[in-house]
């Protein structure tokens, strides 16, 4: 609240309103291009939508559950969307346990996830189905040599090849779910796909207080997870989730570690991208994760608003000092 930025603090009412006004002494001439910002915190997204509909808001950054398509249809040109930098995925324990030693079973489980039904239909397009790999499509090296399209017939063949025809002999697949996102359509869709293969599933739903510790225990098998990169660069995913077993999969591959070391020191952009491509190919061939969805940055803004350009990390990354309001 005290500094040399484009705005000055005016008032903050906890869980209600934050008001900022333009800093007349800001060092960059002509900025900010608006008089200030009023952020309103709504306890109910339906109330926020009503306020936007009645013209009391210039922006709406979140939508009531289950109303996404209705909102798109209603507001037309006021609806905006662009790819984000977040990846939602299912991770495997790659250090210990049954699945760490069963690559064919991991592949079978990957082919049982119907991403299109999960995200395009049931979630009304809230995210892009992750039909490529572990990197969002806007990243360099984002298309690996191995992908896992929905294919129950191939999944069944892989289970038979692994020695578990029709799922016979497989242990119960214990899948950890984070409570706040455990009701996503992908959960039920994947469960149905797995059970059609004869794979028995047990979900373990936990809140954030215990979840992140549980998924790195030795007896963990599969878990729901996600990662939001700050920039569209492979290093912002691989260095945190893959390098030297640092991620929750605990995947520690010397060849991959060496490639990441080389990429970190490489100044030639094409060579660097090639190194990351090799990493991406290896980890997808090893099936250490099942990519589920890539994020979308979605929002509503009134037609008189100009200059609002969020980054892939979300609407909060937009430089608000460039925003102007025309005739309402």
């Amino acid at each position: 609240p005290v500094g040399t930025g484009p705005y000055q603090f005016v008032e903050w009412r906890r869980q209600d309103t934050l008001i900022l006004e333009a800093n007349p002494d800001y060092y960059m001439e002509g900025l900010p291009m608006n008089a200030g910002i009023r952020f309103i915190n709504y306890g109910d997204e339906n109330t926020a939508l009503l306020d936007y509909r009645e013209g009391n808001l210039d922006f709406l950054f979140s939508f009531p559950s289950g109303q996404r398509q209705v909102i798109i249809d209603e507001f037309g040109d006021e609806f905006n969307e662009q790819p984000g930098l977040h990846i939602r995925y299912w991770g495997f324990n790659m250090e210990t346990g049954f699945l760490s030693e069963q690559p064919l079973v991991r592949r079978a489980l990957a082919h049982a996830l119907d991403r299109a039904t999960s995200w395009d239909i049931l979630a009304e397009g809230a995210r892009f189905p992750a039909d490529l790999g572990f990197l969002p499509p806007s990243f360099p090296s984002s298309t690996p040599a191995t992908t896992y399209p929905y294919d129950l017939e191939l999944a069944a063949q892989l289970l038979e090849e692994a020695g578990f025809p029709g799922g016979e002999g497989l242990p119960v697949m214990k899948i950890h779910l984070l409570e706040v996102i455990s009701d996503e359509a992908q959960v039920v869709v994947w469960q149905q796909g797995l059970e059609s293969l004869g794979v028995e599933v047990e979900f373990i739903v936990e809140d954030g207080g215990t979840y992140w510790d549980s998924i790195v225990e030795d007896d963990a098998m599969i878990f729901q997870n996600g990662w939001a990169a700050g920039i569209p660069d492979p290093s912002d995913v691989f260095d945190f989730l893959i390098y030297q077993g640092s991620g929750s999969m605990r995947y520690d591959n010397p060849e991959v570690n060496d490639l990441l070391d080389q990429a970190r020191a490489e100044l030639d952009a094409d060579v660097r991208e090639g190194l990351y491509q090799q990493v991406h190919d290896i980890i997808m061939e090893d099936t250490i994760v099942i990519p589920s969805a890539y994020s979308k940055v979605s929002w509503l803004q009134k037609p008189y608003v100009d200059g609002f350009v969020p980054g892939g990390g979300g609407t909060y990354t937009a430089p608000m000092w460039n925003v102007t309001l025309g005739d309402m």
Side-chain angles (χ1 to χ4, degrees):
V2 180
T4 59
Y7 297 102
Q8 297 180 142
F9 173 79
V10 176
E11 182 181 22
W12 175 37
R13 295 183 180 180
R14 186 173 176 83
Q15 303 299 326
D16 186 352
T17 309
L18 172 64
I19 301 175
L20 308 176
E21 67 179 17
N23 180 0
D25 299 319
Y26 188 50
Y27 72 98
M28 295 186 69
E29 186 176 353
L31 295 179
M33 300 175 69
N34 50 68
I37 310 170
R38 183 162 63 105
F39 295 100
I40 303 173
N41 183 41
Y42 290 90
D44 176 59
E45 291 178 331
N46 286 290
T47 303
L49 176 59
L50 179 61
D51 256 8
Y52 182 86
R53 184 178 285 126
E54 294 182 348
N56 298 324
L57 296 173
D58 301 311
F59 297 95
L60 187 67
F61 294 148
S62 61
F63 309 143
S65 177
Q67 297 189 45
R68 177 183 173 84
Q69 191 57 52
V70 172
I71 289 171
I72 294 172
D73 294 341
E74 176 181 355
F75 292 102
D77 292 341
E78 297 179 31
F79 177 80
N80 296 269
E81 184 172 86
Q82 66 183 42
L85 302 182
H86 184 273
I87 171 75
R88 183 70 56 81
Y89 63 93
W90 300 94
F92 294 111
N93 176 354
M94 295 297 295
E95 186 174 55
T96 60
F98 173 78
L99 287 175
S100 67
E101 301 173 353
Q102 295 289 338
L104 293 179
V105 175
R106 296 197 302 270
R107 291 186 184 184
L109 301 184
H111 283 296
L113 177 58
D114 186 350
R115 300 166 185 82
T117 297
S118 299
W119 298 107
D120 285 340
I121 299 174
L122 297 178
E124 298 184 304
R127 290 173 178 263
F128 295 105
D131 295 326
L132 297 177
F134 200 33
L135 297 174
S138 61
F139 282 51
S141 313
S142 62
T143 304
T146 302
T147 59
Y148 297 94
Y150 176 59
D151 189 334
L152 290 179
E153 183 177 345
L154 176 56
Q157 292 174 6
L158 289 166
L159 287 180
E160 184 171 358
E161 185 179 345
F164 306 101
E168 184 179 349
L170 281 176
V172 175
M173 295 293 133
K174 297 183 178 181
I175 304 176
H176 289 263
L177 301 177
L178 182 61
E179 184 177 26
V180 295
I181 55 176
S182 61
D183 61 349
E184 289 181 338
Q186 63 158 339
V187 176
V188 176
V189 169
W190 195 30
Q191 179 181 11
Q192 292 174 344
L194 293 174
E195 290 179 346
S196 73
L197 295 170
V199 178
E200 187 177 351
V201 174
E202 177 188 339
F203 290 113
I204 304 168
V205 181
E206 298 178 272
D207 63 25
T210 59
Y211 185 79
W212 305 110
D213 290 329
S214 296
I215 65 174
V216 293
E217 295 288 342
D218 285 347
D219 61 352
M221 297 179 74
I222 308 169
F223 49 86
Q224 185 182 57
N225 212 335
W227 180 257
I231 56 174
D233 188 276
S235 65
D236 220 31
V237 175
F238 293 155
D239 286 359
F240 292 95
L241 303 183
I242 302 298
Y243 184 63
Q244 293 185 348
S246 55
S248 48
M249 288 78 67
R250 291 178 287 167
Y251 173 77
D252 193 359
N253 182 325
E255 181 183 3
V256 167
N257 295 336
D258 182 60
L259 288 167
L260 291 175
D261 284 334
Q262 293 179 52
R264 195 176 297 110
E266 180 58 58
L267 299 180
D268 185 293
D270 292 336
V271 174
R272 186 171 182 268
E273 182 173 346
L275 292 167
Y276 283 127
Q277 185 66 59
Q278 292 181 62
V279 171
H280 204 181
D281 289 345
I282 292 170
I283 65 173
M284 289 299 294
E285 175 70 19
D286 285 350
T287 327
I288 69 170
V289 298
I290 303 174
S292 178
Y294 311 119
S295 64
K296 295 180 178 180
V297 180
S298 306
W299 73 99
L300 294 178
Q301 72 179 51
K302 295 296 185 181
Y304 52 77
V305 175
D306 193 29
F308 183 77
V309 184
T315 51
Y316 69 92
T317 63
M320 296 298 292
W321 48 88
N322 291 326
V323 175
T324 59
L325 303 180
D327 295 333
M328 299 183 186

